[in-house]
Amino acid sequence: GKVAQSGELPDSSSGHTYALSGTNFVGYYADKEAWTLRFNDESEKIVSVVEPRQDYFAHVPVVVKSDASVLYRYINANVIGVVTENSEGYLFVRIIDSVTGALVYETKIPHASDPIMVLFDNSAVVYYRNEKANRYELLVVDLFKDRDDHGFWETMKMSQKAREDGAVEGNATRVSAYALEMPIAAAQQFVFPQPVTSIGVSTTQKGVTPRSVLFGLASGKVLAVNKDTILNPRRQTPKPVGDRSGRLQNVASDKDHDASLPAYTPLVPMKATDVVTYNNEVEGLKFIRTTPTHFESTSLLVLFGLDMYMTPTNTAQ
């Protein structure tokens, strides 16, 4: 959607448009005001508004843990990511439902600048520079439904009911955006080794192959980082969490520990084998786009900068 810093909208605007007027973040649809969300700080200014990537491609609706229990992803193609900054150097990251104006997730990051945000599936990845620590960091957020795992037979019954209600492939019933419940958020921060100019996400035809987050480095190369293992906010940490999010975070207990995930380490590893552009560099890299191929394991990667570079990638290797 288009973004305006003031409350005025261009006459030619169509579809979803957003504007920040004082502390009011206003969502418009077809030039008509749809909702208003009040921000806390009058000095906040919009840095970026992003829409989901790959929301029209296939995805797996659940996450299977090592004990065969599942977590249900919060999939909502109508969410947008809004990044703002204030005069005190704080960066505010919000995920908002663009239909209802509901605030799905919110956090603030001190001493942060130069953010880049990407949304996909039930995840958000925010890259920024930590001015105080003089390093580059990532904020990774995964959203899940606040729903218990009912086991195989109950899941089959719900799937059958979805088919009877006319849902596509029995995965979900038709639900109004106003009827969606608020999700549970699992969030974690990581340290990134190099500056980044753009971020993309791998895409496959069926969505079965684990996604990788593609980071366009300032050097002109692209680093692929596995989302499910490395950039997973549920990686085990010794810090306990509340009961409501205990199903998501892997605290140091046998009950909640997911053995399929490695222990949390803050530094994102940068291996030469994960550089998908090999020894090629794209000067002035600005955009990363991906598209699926007929092979489920392969994603087609296209880079845009001073040059255009295209290559197939197998990011799940």
Side-chain angles (χ1 to χ4, degrees):
K2 298 181 180 179
V3 181
Q5 287 290 350
S6 66
E8 298 297 327
L9 291 174
D11 295 335
S12 60
S13 64
S14 61
H16 289 284
T17 313
Y18 314 99
L20 181 60
S21 178
T23 59
N24 293 328
F25 184 69
V26 186
Y28 297 84
Y29 183 74
D31 295 346
K32 296 182 180 180
E33 182 176 334
W35 46 264
T36 300
L37 182 65
R38 182 178 295 275
F39 289 172
N40 299 325
D41 195 337
E42 293 184 356
S43 65
E44 284 187 52
K45 294 183 178 180
I46 293 178
V47 178
S48 64
V49 175
V50 299
E51 296 179 345
R53 297 271 186 92
Q54 284 81 22
D55 61 309
Y56 44 86
F57 291 128
H59 59 268
V60 179
V62 297
V63 174
V64 182
K65 300 172 66 176
S66 59
D67 59 356
S69 63
V70 298
L71 298 171
Y72 296 88
R73 299 179 190 266
Y74 178 81
I75 303 296
N76 184 355
N78 297 316
V79 296
I80 58 173
V82 181
V83 181
T84 61
E85 61 182 1
N86 66 2
S87 57
E88 298 179 357
Y90 281 89
L91 205 66
F92 295 85
V93 178
R94 297 178 176 92
I95 300 177
I96 302 172
D97 190 318
S98 63
V99 175
T100 64
L103 185 61
V104 177
Y105 176 81
E106 179 183 25
T107 189
K108 67 177 182 179
I109 308 171
H111 315 293
S113 63
D114 304 327
I116 302 175
M117 184 177 186
V118 62
L119 286 174
F120 57 96
D121 296 339
N122 65 317
S123 303
V125 177
V126 183
Y127 160 88
Y128 59 92
R129 175 182 172 83
N130 189 324
E131 298 289 352
K132 184 176 181 179
N134 193 25
R135 66 187 184 191
Y136 307 100
E137 297 181 355
L138 299 175
L139 170 66
V140 182
V141 181
D142 282 358
L143 301 176
F144 295 91
K145 295 180 180 179
D146 189 6
R147 172 179 168 185
D148 294 326
D149 179 16
H150 299 287
F152 173 77
W153 292 112
E154 288 297 326
T155 303
M156 291 295 293
K157 290 179 182 178
M158 288 186 287
S159 179
Q160 178 63 31
K161 184 178 184 301
R163 293 190 185 94
E164 294 172 356
D165 291 343
V168 178
E169 297 181 359
N171 286 332
T173 56
R174 293 186 293 268
V175 179
S176 169
Y178 292 90
L180 292 176
E181 297 181 357
M182 286 294 101
I184 303 173
Q188 188 59 271
Q189 290 175 297
F190 298 87
V191 178
F192 202 77
Q194 290 194 18
V196 171
T197 60
S198 59
I199 303 177
V201 184
S202 65
T203 306
T204 57
Q205 193 173 40
K206 300 298 182 182
V208 177
T209 302
R211 294 202 194 277
S212 289
V213 182
L214 306 169
F215 294 94
L217 307 179
S219 61
K221 297 184 178 182
V222 174
L223 177 70
V225 182
N226 191 287
K227 171 62 183 68
D228 293 342
T229 55
I230 305 300
L231 297 182
N232 195 324
R234 297 186 300 110
R235 291 172 62 179
Q236 183 181 6
T237 60
K239 183 179 179 180
V241 294
D243 294 337
R244 187 169 182 266
S245 58
R247 298 194 304 276
L248 305 181
Q249 296 278 9
N250 290 321
V251 297
S253 66
D254 295 336
K255 178 181 178 181
D256 297 311
H257 175 54
D258 190 345
S260 63
L261 296 178
Y264 169 73
T265 54
L267 182 63
V268 176
M270 184 174 178
K271 299 183 292 184
T273 53
D274 292 335
V275 178
V276 295
T277 51
Y278 306 103
N279 61 340
N280 299 303
E281 298 178 357
V282 178
E283 293 294 334
L285 179 58
K286 294 183 178 180
F287 302 104
I288 298 177
R289 296 294 182 266
T290 58
T291 186
T293 65
H294 290 294
F295 297 98
E296 174 59 26
S297 61
T298 305
S299 180
L300 193 61
L301 170 67
V302 184
L303 310 179
F304 298 91
L306 294 179
D307 299 319
M308 187 173 71
Y309 178 83
M310 181 173 62
T311 182
T313 60
N314 302 93
T315 56
Q317 289 182 347

